[in-house]
Amino acid sequence: MAGVGVGPFNLSLAALADGLGGLRTVFFDQRPRFSWHPGLMIEGATLQVPFLADLVSLTDPSSPWSFLSFLRAQGRLFPFYFAERFHIERAEYDAYCRWVSAGLAGGEGADSGGLLFGHQVDAVRWNGEQRLFELDFTQLDPVTGEAAALGRRWARNVSLGIGTAPYVPEALRPLADTPTVPVIHSADYLDHRERLLAAGHITVIGSGQSGAEVFLDLLRNRPCGREGLHWLTRSAAFAPMEYSKLGLEHFTPDYTRYFHGLPERVRDALLARQGQLHKAIDHGTLAAIHDELYHRTCQGGWPDAVLTPGVSVRTAGRIGRTQVELHLDHAEQGERTRLRTDAVVLATGYRERAHDGLLSALDPYVRRDAAGRPRVDERYRMVLDPEVTGALYVQNAERHTHGVGAPDLGLAAHRSAVILDSLTGGEAYALPGRTAFTTFGLRAGQQGRVRPGGGPGAGSGSAGMPTGYAGYAGFAGRRTAVPGPRPDAGAVTGGVTGAPGADTGAGGEGQPDGGELREGGGRTVPLIREP
């Protein structure tokens, strides 16, 4: 298997694939080394998921690449134990991922071990004669970033993990490209922080977690009474994220399987209503902002900070060389106004990177839904023409088919295990039969575990659907690897026999009614279809 991109998700796949017999992997990334959101490493900012949402633990806590193994290697297990931290700092998670990356690559800067940094994949094609994917890449100079060499590799299977890209609203794109006035995305915040703090007035647009963290950091570092801050958002409120325990069950494999089984139109409608599950603000960050604002009132006046929800930016333009004028609409009041500011931080989120350029040669083979998006089956494979006998997996590009958990770090290890089980015929990892107390549908079969043994060629129709509750088997860990290459194992070079069969399932268009459900104890019970 070849991986394109080495972010947390493909790094999780590489970590869980490490040591599996009969499977060879290589992962390409154009950056010179692993780096995760460097512009948002604000001091004290924490992950919004517990430390167990590392690269491997929720599938294999005994893995040598777990976060606890990282702490042990750093001699920091006891300090972490006494710190009693369930949510670690973002910078610490980045350091952990860099530790895993260096270990898998055989050392900092090494190109052994299957992680190839400084390698930009330019195109992925299917070679029907060799029954392999071809990956054309450019090797980049580690100092200049310029092209140093061209190359090609072959693989039976491919995992796309190229991540998301910062989104800049159309009205502000011309200004974001203008160097004289700082109009920057929050992804680049730390690179421009000093310049922003020197500005007379700063406007933050967007009310997700990044916007809140940027606003709080600016507020804490501006003089009392002369803060000069505006915080604007289209949302109706600066709302807290849904963080109740049952609400969090939307980020379980059970909900992912339920969501995948819904009709496309229902999935799209659901996603539009679920923003508070993943786009809102952590309770602690909201409390810290209010505490800082309140503290400043103790100095004898209200802070010079304006927080206004329900506002959208209609247009924007430059005033002279040093200012921006934002034309604002208030949805509820139906009013318009203008705001002059010296700097703008766009906390406007991220969008999935388009695969079109990278996969243009595969476009005739890709099966798409009514909205033109690639169809993705329950094992995270793009649904391709039967002529393509290899599997093309996607990571964090399947929200339309798998729901809000697609970009969530807490599901990374499980998704990696599903992919590896798919590649190895169900022999890589034992997955839990049930992960949520909530039963999301009336059909019990929508929530059970995916049948093992469905290799890349297994269809995603009724034969590949969840089989109901199999009973929670507890952690079984990595199974003993079968010696020698398996029929469906990935190959970086050709010569592997037993090509996977064609995928015939549509994926995500409902599940079969009726039939039987086999329980964990082996008892077979009928499924009753209500009128």
Side-chain angles (χ1 to χ4, degrees), residues 455-516:
S460 58
S462 61
M465 285 295 175
T467 58
Y469 297 116
Y472 191 90
F475 171 69
R478 180 178 296 160
R479 299 181 182 179
T480 303
V482 177
R486 301 185 183 92
D488 291 340
V492 177
T493 57
V496 178
T497 60
D503 190 325
T504 59
E509 293 301 328
Q511 300 200 26
D513 292 310
E516 293 179 338

Side-chain angles (χ1 to χ4, degrees), residues 386-518:
E387 182 180 335
V388 180
T389 56
L392 182 61
Y393 297 93
V394 293
Q395 301 225 57
N396 194 14
E398 73 286 358
R399 200 162 65 94
H400 62 292
T401 57
H402 287 70
V404 293
D408 192 80
L409 294 176
L411 283 171
H414 184 273
R415 176 169 52 200
S416 295
V418 170
I419 292 173
L420 291 170
D421 274 5
S422 173
L423 283 172
T424 61
E427 297 177 356
Y429 289 94
L431 299 176
R434 184 176 179 180
T435 56
F437 291 111
T438 306
T439 302
F440 293 102
L442 293 179
R443 303 180 197 141
Q446 288 178 313
Q447 187 153 327
R449 107 180 237 188
V450 177
R451 287 177 181 166
S460 58
S462 61
M465 285 295 175
T467 58
Y469 297 116
Y472 191 90
F475 171 69
R478 180 178 296 160
R479 299 181 182 179
T480 303
V482 177
R486 301 185 183 92
D488 291 340
V492 177
T493 57
V496 178
T497 60
D503 190 325
T504 59
E509 293 301 328
Q511 300 200 26
D513 292 310
E516 293 179 338
L517 169 66
R518 185 169 298 279

Side-chain angles (χ1 to χ4, degrees), residues 83-150:
E84 297 184 345
R85 290 186 176 181
F86 200 47
H87 293 81
I88 62 175
E89 291 191 9
R90 193 175 291 150
E92 188 171 26
Y93 177 81
D94 178 63
Y96 154 67
C97 288
R98 285 188 279 110
W99 174 78
V100 174
S101 171
L104 289 174
E108 189 67 36
D111 277 349
S112 59
L115 298 185
L116 300 180
F117 289 96
H119 288 66
Q120 174 183 293
V121 176
D122 304 308
V124 179
R125 293 183 302 276
W126 176 250
N127 186 318
E129 293 182 1
Q130 296 189 43
R131 299 167 69 86
L132 296 168
F133 288 104
E134 293 179 348
L135 293 89
D136 291 343
F137 65 86
T138 302
Q139 187 172 350
L140 306 176
D141 185 278
V143 177
T144 65
E146 299 294 328
L150 300 177

Side-chain angles (χ1 to χ4, degrees), residues 317-379:
R318 275 195 306 170
I319 303 296
R321 291 182 55 83
T322 61
Q323 284 192 315
V324 170
E325 184 175 76
L326 304 174
H327 297 202
L328 309 177
D329 289 348
H330 194 285
E332 295 176 352
Q333 287 183 325
E335 293 188 5
R336 293 182 172 182
T337 189
R338 299 181 181 185
L339 172 66
R340 287 193 178 187
T341 186
D342 300 303
V344 178
V345 181
L346 301 172
T348 45
Y350 298 79
R351 297 286 173 89
E352 294 173 0
R353 295 185 193 273
H355 294 141
D356 298 348
L358 184 65
L359 304 181
S360 57
L362 289 172
D363 187 66
Y365 301 104
V366 177
R367 298 295 177 255
R368 300 183 181 273
D369 62 17
R373 300 165 299 195
R375 285 162 49 192
V376 182
D377 74 12
E378 62 180 356
R379 294 183 180 89

